[in-house]
């Protein structure tokens, strides 16, 4: 995945703004390049809630917008506010579910430290996690 500094900054700003709740969203990708950021509603927000769930009307609206951009929803992003930006067991279980968003890349923003940390992964059907590079374009 290749992402512009502006798009990555938008994702990071979403993660920081929603903390201590986790944020979630989709990246519209065309030919390996991110062409849009679509913030989604996390229906699991609130005190002492860990995790995210795509829900509300934001998800179908984002999917239609991504289709209108002639792109694919091939990257799911979310934040980890209390742990490192590495897929949790819940993330792995979601990633293994081929009925949800099969084969998407997982961009995770860690907001626990002094500066946000961004890493990206693929999760296969067996739950194997592979880190993939994030190329930031200026």
């Amino acid at each position: 995945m290749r992402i512009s500094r502006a798009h990555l900054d938008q994702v990071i700003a979403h993660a920081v703004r929603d903390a201590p709740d986790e944020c979630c969203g989709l990246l519209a990708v065309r030919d390996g390049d991110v062409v849009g950021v679509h913030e989604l509603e996390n229906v699991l927000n609130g005190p002492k809630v860990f995790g995210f769930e795509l829900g509300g009307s934001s998800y179908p609206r984002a999917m239609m917008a991504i289709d209108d951009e002639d792109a694919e929803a091939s990257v799911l992003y979310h934040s980890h506010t209390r742990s490192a930006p590495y897929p949790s067991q819940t993330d792995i279980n979601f990633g293994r579910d081929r009925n949800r968003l099969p084969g998407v890349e997982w961009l995770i923003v860690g907001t626990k430290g002094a500066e946000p940390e961004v890493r990206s992964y693929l999760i296969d059907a067996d739950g194997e996690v592979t880190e993939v590079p994030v190329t930031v374009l200026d």
Side-chain angles (χ1 to χ4, degrees):
M1 170 192 44
R2 295 177 301 273
I3 187 168
S4 71
R5 171 54 57 195
H7 283 132
L8 185 58
D9 287 347
Q10 185 178 349
V11 170
I12 292 170
H14 184 195
V16 170
R17 182 179 68 244
D18 281 12
D21 295 326
E22 291 188 14
C23 77
C24 57
L26 293 170
L27 300 181
V29 178
R30 186 182 324 116
D31 299 324
D33 293 324
V34 173
V35 296
V37 176
H38 299 273
E39 297 181 8
L40 299 177
E41 175 188 1
N42 177 1
V43 298
L44 290 182
N45 58 19
K48 300 184 181 183
V49 174
F50 302 98
F52 73 94
E53 184 176 315
L54 310 177
S57 61
S58 64
Y59 180 72
R61 280 196 318 264
M63 293 300 283
M64 287 187 295
I66 291 168
D67 189 51
D68 289 346
E69 292 170 320
D70 200 25
E72 295 181 17
S74 58
V75 179
L76 170 72
Y77 75 86
H78 74 286
S79 59
H80 282 186
T81 60
R82 297 167 185 89
S83 63
Y86 186 83
S88 66
Q89 187 60 53
T90 301
D91 297 339
I92 293 168
N93 294 343
F94 184 108
R96 292 178 64 190
D97 184 348
R98 296 298 154 201
N99 293 318
R100 288 190 160 165
L101 291 168
V104 298
E105 191 169 325
W106 287 67
L107 184 85
I108 303 175
V109 180
T111 61
K112 180 181 173 185
E115 293 292 323
E117 181 184 0
V118 178
R119 297 172 74 179
S120 198
Y121 306 89
L122 293 172
I123 301 171
D124 71 17
D126 294 325
E128 175 128 357
V129 176
T130 304
E131 186 166 6
V132 293
V134 177
T135 302
V136 181
L137 308 170
D138 290 325

